[in-house]
Amino acid sequence: MNAIGKRLPAAVATLAIVGAACQGAAAPTSGSSTSPTEAGPAATAGANPTIDDGETPRQGGDLVFARPEDSTTMDPAKAVETETIYVLNHIFETLYITSADGQSVEPWLVEGEELSEDELTWTFDLRDGVLFSDGSPMTSADVKFSVERAASDESGFGFLLAAIDTIETPDEDTVVMTTKYPWRPLLADLALWSGGIMPADFGGRSEEEFFEEPVGTGPFVLDAWDRGQSLKVVRNDDYWQDGKPFVDSVTWTVVPEANTRVIQVQGGQAHIVSDIPFNSIENLNSSEEVNAQGFPGTTVYYIMFNAETAPYDDVHVRRAIAHAIDKEGIAGAVLFGNGTAACSIIAPTVTFHDPETPCLQYDVEAARAELEQSSVPEGFEARILVGDEPTQVAAVEIIQAQLAEIGITVTIDSIDPGQFYETLSSMDYEMGLAGWSMDIPDPDEQISFMLDKEQGGANSYSTAYEDPRITELLRDAQREFDDEARAALYSELQAVHAEEVPHIPVYFQATPFAWSVQVNGLHVNPVGNRHLEDVWLSE
Amino acid sequence: MRELRYLVRRLLQMVPVVFGLTLLVFLLIHLVPGDPARTMLGPRPPQAVVDALRQEWGLDRPLVEQFLLFVTRLLQGDLGVSLASGVPAGDLISDRVPPTLALVLVGTVFTLLISVPLATLAAVNLNRWPDHVIRAVPLLGLGMPSFWVAIILILALALTTGWFPAGGYGSNLPEQFHALVLPGLTIAIALTPITIRSLRAALLEVLDADYIATARSKGLTEGRVLFFHAVRNAIIPTITVLGVNIGWLIGNTLIVEKIFAIPGIGALMVDAILERDFPIVQALALIFGVLVVLVNVLADVTRSLLDPRLKLT
């Protein structure tokens, strides 16, 4: 499942969109919906071997993309699963998008924006010459309709756009949004898939009819959808980026078994496959027909504590556990080089990540010393919750062995995805290994969700944790339009977090793909967007 | 006439079996912890949004009421609507039954094509080397898990030689058959050890029978004796064994479907369970139940056709 994102424009006034968009998506470790592999920052080499090799892109060809699950809906407001979102990105486009390096937002269906002195009124100049796939031009009325729909209760992620007060359309080319309070993440929030632009009032059709044959401004148009099996989109001839897309069609096929996806790309049945086993990457790269890589992502896996339960409400216990865990060892053992040990809770691919965060190092003696000062100096019996994904289970087993060293006896509760969120939201756990990935390029999505107990909407993502210093810092950062000042706020927040350890970030994980050497121009940004309109197939 | 009455009676017997199964599945899937609304929406939306969805899906009503509603709709031919995709369960499932049935059929045909000649060869060479080899080698098939056999077949016959696709399911009949060869073979490798042994044992018994001696004394060629007299009689117990195993197979094609990316009902079932997509789980349980009973009826009818002396009672 994923996420939502809010973004804060970095650019203060002017049209420059500098933005620090962020994205965050919560990928529960359970892996039910998302492919659990968003990239970790450190993931393998970030370069895109396929991009920009100087050749002239070839038009034509039918791209086949094998993935673990099918889409569930064509409605951006109802989409929550990553596989659904990554298809919708190609049909409905948003006003802003996440940049290729994941560090900022870029204007997409707008030329730019202007922010008023009081930081409450945003004026957007829409991009000229953008047509819907039915040939009609995109106007401000369409934008108003789409964004209001995304912000409504009808949308599962409407609360992310809660800062928006009014949307007005002075002319066909201009949209004016006012916010209830200064809200830096707005542009990043508008990069969230749920704000995909569609014709006002569904172009006169009923909602149901519209999503049977959706119309957007994206590079592709839905052609056929055989539920659970394959989904085919064809080229939108009215697309606004000249010459794109290069391929005639994209067909996403559902291949649930990871090793079968690997075999399909080797056997030539699929051009691109996602979510392959980490341990297959090296082997695939030794072939001349296939490239494989973990793209840097934003996924962090971390240990969470139920702060309502003893002894996890004791900071010494949390610090003891943090010192007792060898993150380097875990990342090396379970990710085969496709990720790195984590320090800050904010992934290195996300803006305002502070590499200097003073997190607690692996030190068994220090761990024992912390435990001595705690309410349970002799150790205790603990339970840890984990999804059923093999990488995560392996990580938890290592953690179990390492905690045994300091007298903490851990029982592992591995549960299936259908139960994961319910268990978390009912607070029926002690510790858990959970994952988070961003949907937009602004850390606010993650930080307020995980740490703002009152306003984050999720009880500090089911930890019930609250620290007044952290709450103040994150709320100040939401309203701070100066990048440097904002970075300082987030650095301080990361430092307090490292000291209080409400979570222990364990590892950042890459997003593994494999593709045929025929495929050119594939790039997956840290949020997971693919932009297949840039991909072309050589002969 | 007698056959018809038999069929009607067997089909009527299906009703309580399937009803019991439906009730059991309904209870089990609802008693397992896990909330489809929360699973679908993920961790972010507030509880109020989740509760609204539960209400929309009727999951906040008492279980008895939900079950009665399910049965009422079922009697009207309505299998319900998938929670995860909003598509009617009937539409979702009807596309996925043919691949599973085709897979089971191809697997069964391969099993027979392999078992009959090998078992015959073993029986006529009793205690000589062909018999030993045929008794021993297929046993390996019993010991090798399907997921492993499948991958070896893909490596050898799809990747290296390119003779068959490495998974997937074509869009027309020749493509589909082509795609089903390796999965069918995977199933056959698991089933043949059982069928070969049962057929060989039956053949040995039959070959000693008086009517075989009679057939030979009439001067029939050994081939005619074997295939028209011996195998035809010996295969009857094997059909029973095969019937039981196919029934088992229908619920267990899952692994093969997953590895070969065949869009069948086994794969759908697992996804539906993980998502707690109750209507799909219930509808599939119903279909699995009906299929298993039907296969057993079919096995009985086949036996009766092969040996008219067997009464269908």
Side-chain angles (χ1 to χ4, degrees):
Chain A
M1 337 242 96
N2 0 1
I4 312 178
K6 320 186 148 193
R7 141 196 208 215
L8 311 172
V12 181
T14 80
L15 297 183
I17 311 204
V18 176
C22 39
Q23 16 186 334
T29 18
S30 63
S32 69
S33 34
T34 69
S35 10
T37 40
E38 293 256 1
T44 51
N48 315 296
T50 54
I51 220 162
D52 204 10
D53 46 13
E55 287 178 67
T56 312
R58 188 178 77 96
Q59 287 283 345
D62 297 289
L63 183 72
V64 178
F65 190 132
R67 56 182 183 157
E69 286 174 7
D70 193 19
S71 289
T72 58
T73 178
M74 278 294 144
D75 183 349
K78 296 207 166 79
V80 290
E81 294 173 305
T82 47
E83 293 301 345
T84 304
I85 292 157
Y86 297 141
V87 169
L88 287 176
N89 287 160
H90 295 91
I91 297 173
F92 297 104
E93 295 178 305
T94 45
L95 297 180
Y96 290 83
I97 61 164
T98 301
S99 65
D101 65 2
Q103 294 285 312
S104 58
V105 285
E106 289 173 3
W108 197 245
L109 294 183
V110 295
E111 306 278 355
E113 79 285 332
E114 212 166 321
L115 177 63
S116 65
E117 285 283 321
D118 63 2
E119 296 172 341
L120 288 173
T121 304
W122 297 81
T123 305
F124 300 93
D125 177 18
L126 299 186
R127 182 181 287 279
D128 296 326
V130 175
L131 299 180
F132 285 110
S133 58
D134 63 3
S136 61
M138 175 188 76
T139 68
S140 55
D142 302 319
V143 172
K144 177 178 160 74
F145 173 80
S146 306
V147 175
E148 281 180 349
R149 187 168 182 271
S152 73
D153 290 342
E154 195 179 344
S155 160
F157 296 98
F159 57 95
L160 271 181
L161 296 167
I164 296 177
D165 188 17
T166 60
I167 303 180
E168 276 155 39
T169 55
D171 63 56
E172 290 219 330
D173 199 32
T174 309
V175 175
V176 178
M177 295 187 197
T178 56
T179 57
K180 297 167 190 156
Y181 30 82
W183 188 250
R184 177 53 182 271
L186 182 69
L187 301 191
D189 292 346
L190 290 173
L192 190 73
W193 71 86
S194 64
I197 306 302
M198 59 189 72
D201 300 317
F202 308 113
R205 290 187 282 162
S206 75
E207 185 171 330
E208 199 177 327
E209 282 168 359
F210 180 81
F211 289 112
E212 298 265 312
E213 290 174 48
V215 168
T217 65
F220 295 99
V221 186
L222 179 64
D223 180 58
W225 185 8
D226 205 354
R227 290 229 181 218
Q229 301 175 36
S230 68
L231 195 161
K232 183 180 181 186
V233 295
V234 295
R235 191 171 198 284
N236 171 10
D237 291 325
D238 290 323
Y239 190 51
W240 58 274
Q241 288 197 79
D242 278 341
K244 293 180 181 176
F246 299 116
V247 296
D248 293 334
S249 72
V250 180
T251 303
W252 282 274
T253 59
V254 180
V255 179
E257 172 62 36
N259 287 307
T260 308
R261 290 194 292 280
V262 170
I263 287 166
Q264 288 211 335
V265 75
Q266 288 176 304
Q269 284 174 285
H271 296 104
I272 306 175
V273 296
S274 60
D275 221 345
I276 57 172
F278 287 115
N279 59 7
S280 68
I281 291 180
E282 196 181 333
N283 183 29
L284 281 169
N285 275 323
S286 65
S287 142
E288 292 190 355
E289 303 295 315
V290 177
N291 291 322
Q293 180 188 330
F295 286 97
T298 59
T299 304
V300 55
Y301 280 92
Y302 59 90
I303 295 174
M304 61 200 292
F305 300 103
N306 182 342
E308 287 175 344
T309 311
Y312 309 100
D313 52 353
D314 181 344
V315 67
H316 294 295
V317 169
R318 301 195 300 265
R319 289 175 64 93
I321 293 173
H323 273 306
I325 293 175
D326 176 9
K327 299 170 178 179
E328 300 279 347
I330 294 170
V334 304
L335 298 174
F336 301 91
N338 294 281
T340 48
C343 175
S344 164
I345 188 71
I346 299 176
T349 43
V350 178
T351 26
F352 305 125
H353 160 79
D354 186 348
E356 307 294 320
T357 302
C359 55
L360 303 183
Q361 300 299 313
Y362 176 50
D363 181 344
V364 178
E365 283 315 307
R368 290 205 180 99
E370 285 284 352
L371 205 57
E372 302 254 310
Q373 299 176 52
S374 77
S375 52
V376 280
E378 302 301 315
F380 59 100
E381 294 201 351
R383 305 191 74 88
I384 187 164
L385 189 70
V386 64
D388 57 0
E389 212 253 328
T391 305
Q392 295 151 30
V393 174
V396 166
E397 284 167 353
I398 299 174
I399 290 168
Q400 180 185 42
Q402 290 173 344
L403 292 185
E405 296 278 308
I406 60 165
I408 302 176
T409 312
V410 178
T411 306
I412 297 173
D413 296 320
S414 176
I415 60 175
D416 78 75
Q419 215 181 325
F420 196 83
Y421 296 126
E422 197 193 19
T423 308
L424 287 189
S425 55
S426 61
M427 301 293 288
D428 185 17
Y429 75 100
E430 295 181 8
M431 290 194 273
L433 183 73
W436 170 273
S437 61
M438 303 290 271
D439 300 296
I440 55 170
D442 191 303
D444 176 60
E445 181 193 12
Q446 171 187 11
I447 295 303
S448 54
F449 181 67
M450 282 193 185
L451 290 163
D452 190 340
K453 189 177 179 208
E454 295 304 315
Q455 294 178 15
N459 196 24
S460 295
Y461 193 3
S462 306
T463 59
Y465 182 81
E466 192 168 27
D467 182 314
R469 280 178 300 168
I470 289 180
T471 309
E472 194 187 335
L473 286 167
L474 72 90
R475 290 188 189 167
D476 286 349
Q478 289 167 345
R479 286 152 181 76
E480 178 56 68
F481 281 74
D482 178 75
D483 271 349
E484 251 176 66
R486 203 164 175 236
L489 291 170
Y490 278 120
S491 286
E492 194 182 340
L493 186 148
Q494 290 169 77
V496 176
H497 184 277
E499 192 180 309
E500 295 291 328
V501 280
H503 317 89
I504 305 170
V506 183
Y507 56 87
F508 298 116
Q509 184 174 302
T511 312
F513 281 74
W515 59 95
S516 146
V517 291
Q518 266 190 296
V519 174
N520 302 270
L522 174 67
H523 177 62
V524 180
N525 73 11
V527 190
N529 303 134
R530 287 102 203 246
H531 290 281
L532 295 179
E533 69 270 20
D534 296 335
V535 168
W536 56 278
L537 293 171
S538 40
E539 298 281 358
Chain B
M1 197 53 215
R2 188 195 286 147
E3 279 83 359
L4 192 66
R5 238 185 311 161
Y6 168 81
L7 269 182
V8 170
R9 206 178 57 240
R10 283 296 297 262
L11 293 179
L12 282 178
Q13 282 171 357
M14 224 160 81
V15 174
V17 171
V18 169
F19 181 80
L21 183 74
T22 310
L23 180 61
L24 195 67
V25 169
F26 181 88
L27 286 177
L28 284 179
I29 190 72
H30 279 86
L31 292 179
V32 171
D35 174 3
R38 182 48 89 181
T39 303
M40 178 160 175
L41 292 174
R44 307 240 22 189
Q47 194 59 40
V49 175
V50 177
D51 290 342
L53 190 60
R54 287 180 59 83
Q55 199 178 353
E56 187 188 324
W57 286 344
L59 297 176
D60 55 338
R61 296 191 218 156
L63 263 194
V64 177
E65 200 183 317
Q66 289 185 50
F67 184 69
L68 288 179
L69 190 66
F70 169 67
V71 173
T72 315
R73 283 189 186 149
L74 190 62
L75 293 175
Q76 296 162 353
D78 177 1
L79 285 171
V81 172
S82 159
L83 301 182
S85 66
V87 173
D91 295 356
L92 203 57
I93 293 168
S94 60
D95 277 359
R96 320 236 342 195
V97 172
T100 297
L101 288 185
L103 174 61
V104 170
L105 185 70
V106 170
T108 308
V109 170
F110 282 2
T111 304
L112 287 174
L113 287 179
I114 296 170
S115 315
V116 172
L118 288 185
T120 312
L121 195 63
V124 299
N125 289 292
L126 181 63
N127 289 331
R128 286 194 297 264
W129 67 266
D131 184 31
H132 296 308
V133 172
I134 290 166
R135 283 162 70 193
V137 173
L139 277 183
L140 289 177
L142 264 189
M144 296 185 296
S146 291
F147 60 84
W148 188 81
V149 171
I151 287 172
I152 295 301
L153 287 177
I154 290 174
L155 285 178
L157 299 177
L159 272 193
T160 315
T161 62
W163 293 343
F164 299 100
Y169 192 66
S171 49
N172 56 47
L173 213 57
E175 268 179 38
Q176 286 165 355
F177 177 73
H178 195 207
L180 283 176
V181 171
L182 295 186
L185 213 52
T186 308
I187 287 177
I189 287 172
L191 281 185
T192 42
I194 304 167
T195 49
I196 287 179
R197 287 187 84 92
S198 116
L199 184 56
R200 175 184 163 278
L203 268 172
L204 288 178
E205 209 172 291
V206 167
L207 286 173
D208 275 344
D210 291 343
Y211 59 83
I212 296 294
T214 311
R216 284 194 176 121
S217 65
K218 284 196 295 188
L220 296 182
T221 61
E222 192 60 20
R224 279 189 75 89
V225 172
L226 270 179
F227 286 98
F228 291 92
H229 296 266
V231 171
R232 178 164 173 177
N233 285 292
I235 205 167
I236 290 165
T238 305
I239 297 281
T240 309
V241 170
L242 202 57
V244 171
N245 276 291
I246 292 173
W248 168 85
L249 202 61
I250 288 174
N252 287 274
T253 52
L254 156 74
I255 293 169
V256 178
E257 283 178 11
K258 280 242 168 190
I259 293 181
F260 287 98
I262 295 166
I265 46 179
L268 182 64
M269 180 79 156
V270 171
D271 292 344
I273 291 173
L274 290 182
E275 287 173 339
R276 304 287 189 272
D277 196 340
F278 299 144
I280 299 295
V281 175
Q282 283 152 209
L284 283 173
L286 198 69
I287 287 167
F288 280 125
V290 171
L291 283 178
V292 169
V293 176
L294 278 183
V295 165
N296 282 308
V297 174
L298 210 62
D300 287 350
V301 172
T302 311
R303 284 190 312 158
S304 141
L305 290 177
L306 284 170
D307 185 352
R309 291 170 306 171
L310 287 176
K311 295 284 181 287
L312 288 172
T313 48

